[in-house]
Amino acid sequence: MSTVVQKYGGSSVADVTRIKLVADRVMRTKRAGHDVVVVVSAMGDTTDDLLGLAKQVSPNPDRRELDMLLTAGERISMALLSMAIRELGGDAISFTGSQSGIITNDRHVDARIIEVRPVRIQDELAHGRIVVIAGYQGVSYRREVTTLGRGGSDTTAVAMAAALGAEYCEICSDVDGVYTADPRVVADAQRIGTLSYEETQELAESGARVLNAQAVEFAKEKGIAIYARATSSPLPGADPSADGTVVRRHAPRQPGTVVGVASERDVLVLSAEREGFSRAERTPAATRSAEAFALQVLALLDEHKVAGKQLHVIGDQLTLVVSRENLHAEARLREVLAASFGGTVRIADTLGAISVVGAGINASFDNVRRGSAALTESGAAIEGIATSSFRITWMIDRARLDDAVRLLHATFIEGAA
Ligand code: ADP
Ligand code: ASP
Ligand code: MG
């Protein structure tokens, strides 16, 4: 019998009516002859609400205690869904991340899964049960409860699918797949039938929330097919790309083709520049060379568990983009940076990132030039550009992001159609 892993996101389990609908979909999957493992997110905005509570108690909440708090969200939905399935005559049992054998490192709040030991899950499946797992959480080797970073239930689902050798992993949400841009922002966004792991990972890292980047990384490593679908959609048929998105190894498209546009609003841009370094005689950093100084900054960020992306250290200049998503002690970060480096390290809090994604997108600079021209013509000042082999990212005023997404979608995707 083939095993199927299904993940239902927060909006799909937001209230009791929806939980019952999910229970029904799970039962249909079971009746179709599969062993079923279900991963659930916290109900609706529960995770945001819990974070809000923590912030009321402490502006810099302790990361371990945050994990103790946040894991409660998924625990509520797993128990309710299990009860709802039982109500429909199914034999379900729920487990926390720790009980499911999800072992992580000990980096609280954005831990990484390092191993899955699904013995208990396999045991229950062998007894014909439906297993419901709390997403977004695990346990460290030190037996501390951890969470996997925002959107981490996707990661739980894919990691579990890999550990169980599942046929596929369905990620069920309020949208019926991955679109060429956030359909809430771009009315003409199109669902993409098939995406490669790399394209999906880049879209996710650029801010397309529909799939979690780390989850895609896991799927790629283990060759697991992801089906991104709407919770309201039928079970996957012979061609799941007809009414959803299939993410799997995929023949490259025409090089230079843009598959999607994504944006990330809530970022901080850290920078330190040459003049800053030489002005730093007031700080201990004055005696260091530029790159030693940069490494000192990075060591401090690591010490405070601040993750960043698009790191550039060139000559005497360092820039780094920090996503606010898993940064829960920003006040402290600002304090320690100021205490250690004075004004040498600056933090810009007005910019957002907009990216276009596609394999071979930078084979020439044509796409960079086209996007930059379109943005400039629209009046958006470009504050930075970064490229990789799959992506071009522009940093612009955060307030203009949605307009820019529509503009670049029109330029690269509607224009290419
Ligand atoms: P869930 O709670 O099911 O995990 P999320 O809110 O994390 O759902 O992700 C689904 C949302 O992602 C959609 O409602 C949509 O607005 C947003 N989204 C952003 N970019 C995209 C995209 N490229 N394709 C589809 N949805 C996207
Ligand atoms: N509940 C968590 C979050 O809101 C995890 C998830 O939904 O995937 O980020
Ligand atoms: Mg999500």
Side-chain angles (χ1 to χ4, degrees):
M1 203 184 280
S2 73
T3 303
V4 163
V5 176
Q6 298 178 328
K7 176 258 173 176
Y8 293 94
S11 52
S12 306
V13 293
D15 55 39
V16 166
T17 311
R18 283 176 229 215
I19 289 177
K20 289 181 180 172
L21 290 172
V22 167
D24 180 66
R25 196 171 186 280
V26 171
M27 286 299 284
R28 276 188 276 134
T29 313
K30 178 73 180 162
R31 281 198 296 269
H34 299 287
D35 277 344
V36 191
V37 174
V38 188
V39 174
V40 279
S41 290
M43 294 171 72
D45 297 328
T46 302
T47 307
D48 287 327
D49 295 345
L50 292 173
L51 277 168
L53 278 177
K55 280 279 149 79
Q56 286 178 46
V57 175
S58 161
N60 298 298
D62 179 77
R63 296 171 73 91
R64 177 187 183 277
E65 300 310 325
L66 263 182
D67 278 349
M68 295 302 268
L69 178 71
L70 295 177
T71 45
E74 269 66 12
R75 211 170 157 139
I76 294 172
S77 20
M78 78 178 193
L80 290 175
L81 178 61
S82 185
M83 288 175 205
I85 294 171
R86 298 184 80 85
E87 208 50 46
L88 296 180
D91 188 3
I93 180 166
S94 68
F95 290 122
T96 63
S98 153
Q99 290 174 310
S100 309
I102 295 181
I103 317 293
T104 72
N105 63 9
D106 58 3
R107 190 177 162 107
H108 285 290
V109 181
D110 60 353
R112 281 188 71 97
I113 297 177
I114 38 189
E115 198 188 336
V116 180
R117 297 179 191 157
V119 205
R120 225 166 148 184
I121 314 282
Q122 285 159 326
D123 232 36
E124 297 297 343
L125 290 177
H127 284 93
R129 300 210 169 90
I130 295 167
V131 178
V132 183
I133 299 176
Y136 175 56
Q137 53 182 270
V139 64
S140 75
Y141 280 118
R142 296 183 191 166
R143 306 217 172 165
E144 291 287 356
V145 167
T146 52
T147 60
L148 308 176
R150 298 306 304 268
S153 296
D154 295 355
T155 318
T156 304
V158 174
M160 197 44 82
L164 295 171
E167 192 183 328
Y168 58 84
C169 178
E170 246 186 303
I171 304 284
C172 302
S173 185
D174 57 358
V175 59
D176 61 348
V178 182
Y179 276 64
T180 49
D182 187 341
R184 289 180 207 250
V185 177
V186 179
D188 289 332
Q190 301 294 313
R191 183 172 50 76
I192 309 168
T194 313
L195 276 170
S196 70
Y197 293 118
E198 292 80 4
E199 289 163 342
T200 317
Q201 212 174 333
E202 292 283 345
L203 278 172
E205 268 167 18
S206 310
R209 264 198 342 260
V210 60
L211 283 174
N212 174 287
Q214 214 186 107
V216 183
E217 191 186 314
F218 263 96
K220 178 179 164 188
E221 232 167 71
K222 310 283 179 181
I224 298 284
I226 299 181
Y227 298 170
R229 304 174 67 75
T231 298
S232 57
S233 74
L235 300 180
D239 178 13
S241 70
D243 57 354
T245 296
V246 176
V247 182
R248 56 159 48 123
R249 259 186 264 289
H250 187 55
R253 295 173 217 281
Q254 186 76 13
T257 310
V258 172
V259 292
V261 184
S263 67
E264 189 173 4
R265 180 175 305 272
D266 234 355
V267 295
L268 297 174
V269 182
L270 255 68
S271 60
E273 287 167 39
R274 186 187 188 93
E275 310 86 71
F277 294 158
S278 43
R279 257 197 280 113
E281 37 295 338
R282 290 170 302 236
T283 75
T287 53
R288 306 294 180 109
S289 67
E291 68 281 5
F293 175 83
L295 295 177
Q296 225 179 337
V297 174
L298 298 180
L300 191 114
L301 294 178
D302 262 347
E303 196 185 311
H304 290 268
K305 309 283 188 283
V306 178
K309 48 191 172 187
Q310 290 178 45
L311 167 69
H312 285 274
V313 181
I314 294 180
D316 286 352
Q317 183 150 354
L318 170 145
T319 58
L320 180 72
V321 176
V322 173
S323 163
R324 272 213 177 100
E325 201 172 45
N326 294 309
L327 177 69
H328 301 297
E330 185 179 327
R332 174 162 312 141
L333 170 68
R334 287 175 179 276
E335 280 162 25
V336 296
L337 283 172
S340 306
F341 304 109
T344 315
V345 176
R346 291 192 309 275
I347 300 178
D349 187 11
T350 56
L351 299 180
I354 173 164
S355 306
V356 294
V357 169
I361 194 172
N362 287 309
S364 77
F365 292 116
D366 186 46
N367 288 320
V368 180
R369 290 189 294 112
R370 263 175 82 199
S372 301
L375 288 169
T376 306
E377 202 177 310
S378 76
I382 297 169
E383 303 287 343
I385 303 178
T387 63
S388 74
S389 34
F390 278 87
R391 170 155 53 126
I392 307 167
T393 300
W394 290 268
M395 303 302 301
I396 61 167
D397 179 0
R398 195 179 287 158
R400 287 180 175 268
L401 268 186
D402 284 354
D403 282 340
V405 169
R406 287 185 279 269
L407 175 73
L408 292 193
H409 192 270
T411 308
F412 284 106
I413 291 171
E414 292 157 50

